[in-house]
Amino acid sequence: MRRSHRTNKRSLLLVGLLAVVICVGLLALHFWEERQLEAERASITDDGYPVRQRFSLEYGGKRYQLREGVECTLVMGLDKFATEKIDEADYVNDMQSDFLILMIVDEQNETLSALHVNRDSMAEIQRYGLAGKKLNSFTGQLALSHTYGSGGRDSARYTCEAVSKYLLGLPIEHYVSLTMDAIPTLNDLVGGVTVYVEDDFSNTDPSIKQGETMRLEGKQALTFIRARSSMNDSSNINRMARQREYMDGLYKQMKTQFASDANFGLRLVDELGDTMHSDLSAGELSELGKRWANYDFKGVETIKGEAKKGEKFMEFYADEDALTEQLIRLLMEPAD
Amino acid sequence: MKRTVSILLALVLVFSLSVTAFAGTDVIAAVDAQGNDAAEIVSLTSFDDRAELPEEDLATFEAAVATVISAFEAAVKSGAIKPSEGAVASLYDVLYVTVGEAEGLEAPYKIDITKPAGFLAMMVYNDGAWSVASVETPDDAVRFVDEASEPIALVIQSEPAPTPTEAPKPVDPSAENNDAPAITEAVDAEGEEADITIVPYRDRDELNAVNKDVFTLAYEDLYEGFDKILENDEQLKAAAGENNVAVSDAFFVDAADVSKLNYPLSVEIELAQYGAENPDEFVALIQCVDGVWQFVDSSVADGVVSASINEIGPFAVVVVAAE
């Protein structure tokens, strides 16, 4: 009896010690992850983005500054699958940022709006050589900015840098980049997204029926937002219209999920796995998602401008006056 | 508690076995000078797993990989490695043979390793140099005699690969980024067209395993130590002048059949940004020869670099950096 009691006590002690070691290990890992992300965020701020306080726009003889509590996160969709190996030492890659949407969060007014940026927007693109050394820049489609670097975090930062410059120097605080296989996962996790199918998908996916309102499942979601060259209207403008419709539907579904499932955010981040990169940690992404779902969504806007066929490829040129006005309306207030 | 520990140990054992089962070229058998089984003290390490080697062995392995291409080319040209009529010899794999010690076993050891399809020859690296090894090929094995740990390289022969034709690009109105230099002309010492191609770093998986290993090693040196390379090469330093310089491209110049290359080759390489807006200013072409990056005499006009080269292998373009 005594021996058994001693054995039980020893076992409990061992289990207790193991639990403490695991907890300490997890805490250490958490703090290490936070420190890594802090370092990355510090370098994002220092490495090409203007600091918030310095950003201002002049319009109609007045100067405007960013409203307090406004923060921007760039969500980019890449045109490749996550199975493509990423070597951090690579200096170029073939992943273009085909989908660019700037999520504008106003923490004070608790609103969320989105600015859909055309991937064919002609912008200043920075070239990078080995080990991230800056070379000359050129004017090219925004989508190309992601092709410098390894295809991982460095390429995402280069994209943020290019979009920031394109948006007149607007600071971008965070990014989330998603590969193509994230879309079916995301779509099914929220229970499918309902859209009205205006275009003819018969050459691409006959299961997506023109003229019908249908709930997209799995790969249908990817086809719906991605298809371009096989469509009757192969312009990116047309594709962007479908993407906006999908985003509206996705937002509604995510709002429902966040409201009904306290763990949805973490589950989402876990399921997306390697199909997603971000400067935010899993916990922060989950919290961000929860906040976004509770805020008043003002909808997705596009930038006014003109799309035309360049020498070889499509080119979009923003109306700079209209863009200035738009940014002021979405993000700014008169400076003192 | 005892049951939990047993389950954990069993899991560890299964995991270890499965990792071992999926290793590359294997040691099939090994016997010592007296015919005693010595398989337990002989192992093979691939280039990808080289970090597992002790520091001294790692240094030897990397030095061997850095020089294997020139040694292979020399062996093919001298006839020391001679493929059959119409076949092409190529490097298949480079490995590190580790021979340990055990009581009761004595060198030299007769070692059998897996024979790759089309096996032609084996090279060994000893005292800082490669040489063609004497081997036997019983059944599916390559058998050689070894006294101590050393790198080996396996050579195979195969039918010449057909010249690849470019797949038609899908019609897509999206922009494309094509940051890779291209060979526009290559002529050998006898005025004949030289069959060489450029493989950019991002496409290095297309190279044979050994060329990829050589390229990987050279690239690592370039990535981590370009400042030192610049400092140590007087010609490169002179070409850079007061400018801040950087590497804009790294690529491997490969050949279908090295035995057909009569060096030196006169090559013209169109730079990646030829015709592009605001191209980077060309400073120099450099090449990694036997593990050392060095300046290549060249000239540039209208975005095309003209140079004379004496070996296939890793190359890089140095340009003026933006900051």
Side-chain angles (χ1 to χ4, degrees):
Chain A
M1 191 67 151
R2 209 179 275 172
R3 202 178 290 167
S4 163
H5 175 71
R6 231 183 279 147
T7 311
N8 282 343
K9 221 177 159 180
R10 207 176 290 148
S11 302
L12 275 171
L13 191 63
L14 278 170
V15 167
L17 272 170
L18 194 61
V20 167
V21 165
I22 289 171
C23 285
V24 168
L26 286 172
L27 262 171
L29 186 63
H30 169 75
F31 284 126
W32 178 81
E33 192 189 27
E34 286 296 313
R35 213 168 290 148
Q36 295 296 107
L37 290 167
E38 280 287 343
E40 186 177 346
R41 271 177 238 151
S43 68
I44 286 173
T45 312
D46 295 340
D47 193 22
Y49 297 25
V51 175
R52 299 181 55 82
Q53 295 91 321
R54 291 202 292 269
F55 178 67
S56 66
L57 290 177
E58 298 273 342
Y59 189 74
K62 276 194 182 152
R63 200 169 69 87
Y64 295 86
Q65 64 190 20
L66 278 173
R67 285 199 303 274
E68 201 61 46
V70 166
E71 221 176 61
C72 297
T73 297
L74 182 66
V75 178
M76 59 191 97
L78 307 177
D79 66 347
K80 296 287 184 297
F81 291 96
T83 45
E84 309 266 339
K85 197 174 64 173
I86 286 179
D87 179 344
E88 282 177 10
D90 266 327
Y91 61 97
V92 285
N93 67 90
D94 59 0
M95 289 196 272
Q96 297 188 21
S97 45
D98 243 14
F99 172 81
L100 293 161
I101 196 145
L102 189 73
M103 305 303 293
I104 302 163
V105 182
D106 187 333
E107 303 278 4
Q108 285 202 343
N109 296 314
E110 294 191 353
T111 62
L112 176 70
S113 46
L115 187 62
H116 198 177
V117 182
N118 192 325
R119 52 93 77 213
D120 291 328
S121 301
M122 297 305 281
E124 186 190 339
I125 308 294
Q126 181 66 56
R127 278 195 206 98
Y128 288 88
L130 257 76
K133 291 282 162 82
K134 265 191 185 171
L135 308 179
N136 284 345
S137 59
F138 66 99
T139 305
Q141 287 80 356
L142 260 181
L144 297 175
S145 54
H146 195 274
T147 62
Y148 292 93
S150 66
R153 292 174 192 273
D154 52 348
S155 301
R157 286 206 308 274
Y158 299 156
T159 305
C160 289
E161 180 185 277
V163 172
S164 170
K165 272 195 202 147
Y166 180 71
L167 297 178
L168 312 178
L170 175 69
I172 297 175
E173 275 79 15
H174 304 295
Y175 71 82
V176 175
S177 87
L178 301 160
T179 54
M180 291 202 297
D181 29 5
I183 305 303
T185 305
L186 184 56
N187 183 84
D188 291 352
L189 260 173
V190 302
V193 173
T194 302
V195 295
Y196 174 71
V197 183
E198 199 165 317
D199 293 324
D200 178 7
F201 282 83
S202 53
N203 289 334
T204 319
D205 184 347
S207 72
I208 304 175
K209 308 264 185 234
Q210 187 178 22
E212 281 190 21
T213 298
M214 58 182 290
R215 183 170 287 250
L216 299 173
E217 287 175 9
K219 286 198 178 125
Q220 288 178 330
L222 180 61
T223 304
F224 186 80
I225 67 167
R226 192 174 172 241
R228 180 178 173 181
S229 54
S230 54
M231 308 295 288
N232 289 337
D233 181 348
S234 62
S235 71
N236 192 45
I237 302 276
N238 183 56
R239 182 168 68 171
M240 285 173 71
R242 287 204 309 275
Q243 289 170 350
R244 280 195 300 281
E245 192 194 345
Y246 183 83
M247 274 211 52
D248 274 334
L250 177 66
Y251 179 77
K252 284 184 188 118
Q253 289 296 107
M254 285 188 63
K255 211 174 157 78
T256 309
Q257 292 290 339
F258 271 109
S260 60
D261 180 356
N263 293 320
F264 178 70
L266 285 172
R267 212 159 39 87
L268 182 68
V269 172
D270 186 46
E271 290 284 332
L272 287 174
D274 286 343
T275 65
M276 181 175 70
H277 288 294
S278 175
D279 65 309
L280 296 161
S281 68
E284 285 170 333
L285 279 168
S286 174
E287 279 309 307
L288 198 71
K290 267 188 220 164
R291 286 209 314 275
W292 288 4
N294 284 322
Y295 285 4
D296 179 17
F297 185 47
K298 299 293 191 193
V300 185
E301 294 190 18
T302 53
I303 297 170
K304 281 203 183 98
E306 189 193 351
K308 55 186 182 188
K309 182 91 191 292
E311 208 178 287
K312 283 198 328 188
F313 305 109
M314 290 306 293
E315 298 173 356
F316 179 80
Y317 294 89
D319 178 332
E320 202 165 298
D321 266 347
L323 176 61
T324 308
E325 216 177 359
Q326 191 174 31
L327 292 178
I328 287 168
R329 178 172 46 78
L330 286 170
L331 297 132
M332 307 183 83
E333 64 188 6
D336 294 329
Chain B
M1 186 63 140
K2 266 192 196 165
R3 198 158 36 145
T4 312
V5 169
S6 306
I7 291 169
L8 277 171
L9 276 172
L11 282 170
V12 166
L13 187 63
V14 166
F15 177 74
S16 311
L17 284 172
S18 52
V19 165
T20 315
F22 288 115
T25 304
D26 292 321
V27 173
I28 300 171
V31 295
D32 79 344
Q34 308 303 323
N36 300 311
D37 183 3
E40 64 179 39
I41 65 162
V42 178
S43 62
L44 291 177
T45 306
S46 68
F47 183 75
D48 285 345
D49 295 331
R50 68 195 188 280
E52 292 170 12
L53 293 170
E55 214 171 291
E56 205 180 299
D57 293 348
L58 174 61
T60 305
F61 195 13
E62 289 185 344
V65 168
T67 55
V68 72
I69 287 181
S70 46
F72 168 68
E73 282 200 42
V76 168
K77 287 198 182 321
S78 69
I81 291 178
K82 197 176 164 75
S84 313
E85 186 74 34
V88 172
S90 59
L91 285 163
Y92 172 77
D93 205 355
V94 85
L95 301 153
Y96 195 85
V97 179
T98 302
V99 178
E101 283 175 2
E103 208 173 309
L105 296 176
E106 61 180 89
Y109 300 93
K110 206 178 278 185
I111 302 170
D112 286 6
I113 62 172
T114 326
K115 187 172 80 175
F119 175 77
L120 176 61
M122 188 176 100
M123 294 168 31
V124 291
Y125 185 81
N126 214 295
D127 287 335
W130 286 99
S131 57
V132 180
S134 172
V135 300
E136 293 165 21
T137 51
D139 302 320
D140 285 329
V142 173
R143 178 172 294 166
F144 59 100
V145 174
D146 210 347
E147 294 216 8
S149 303
E150 62 193 2
I152 61 171
L154 302 175
V155 179
I156 60 171
Q157 62 178 338
S158 51
E159 294 301 315
T163 310
T165 53
E166 207 172 286
K169 288 201 169 92
V171 172
D172 190 326
S174 303
E176 57 182 29
N177 207 15
N178 190 20
D179 281 334
I183 289 180
T184 54
E185 192 174 293
V187 172
D188 73 5
E190 291 175 7
E192 300 290 325
E193 196 181 319
D195 187 5
I196 57 172
T197 53
I198 275 180
V199 179
Y201 182 72
R202 69 172 184 234
D203 296 332
R204 61 198 177 281
D205 287 342
E206 291 173 10
L207 295 167
N208 71 44
V210 178
N211 285 349
K212 185 183 159 188
D213 292 346
V214 170
F215 194 12
T216 302
L217 207 51
Y219 187 88
E220 278 171 16
D221 279 345
L222 196 61
Y223 190 92
E224 287 159 18
F226 178 65
D227 289 344
K228 222 193 316 179
I229 292 167
L230 179 62
E231 188 55 40
N232 291 339
D233 192 306
E234 291 303 323
Q235 286 176 291
L236 181 58
K237 231 187 336 190
E242 295 299 317
N243 293 308
N244 189 18
V245 294
V247 173
S248 65
D249 290 285
F251 51 89
F252 192 97
V253 173
D254 198 9
D257 185 356
V258 294
S259 70
K260 293 201 161 73
L261 297 179
N262 295 304
Y263 292 114
L265 308 182
S266 298
V267 299
E268 285 187 2
I269 299 171
E270 190 178 275
L271 293 173
Q273 295 150 38
Y274 178 59
E277 174 196 327
N278 199 23
D280 300 306
E281 188 184 327
F282 177 82
V283 168
L285 184 69
I286 57 176
Q287 181 185 6
C288 188
V289 180
D290 290 343
V292 178
W293 281 98
Q294 51 198 236
F295 180 84
V296 175
D297 268 318
S298 64
S299 60
V300 65
D302 296 327
V304 177
V305 175
S306 301
S308 178
I309 67 174
N310 290 290
E311 195 175 295
I312 64 167
F315 285 77
V317 174
V318 179
V319 299
V320 174
E323 59 184 27

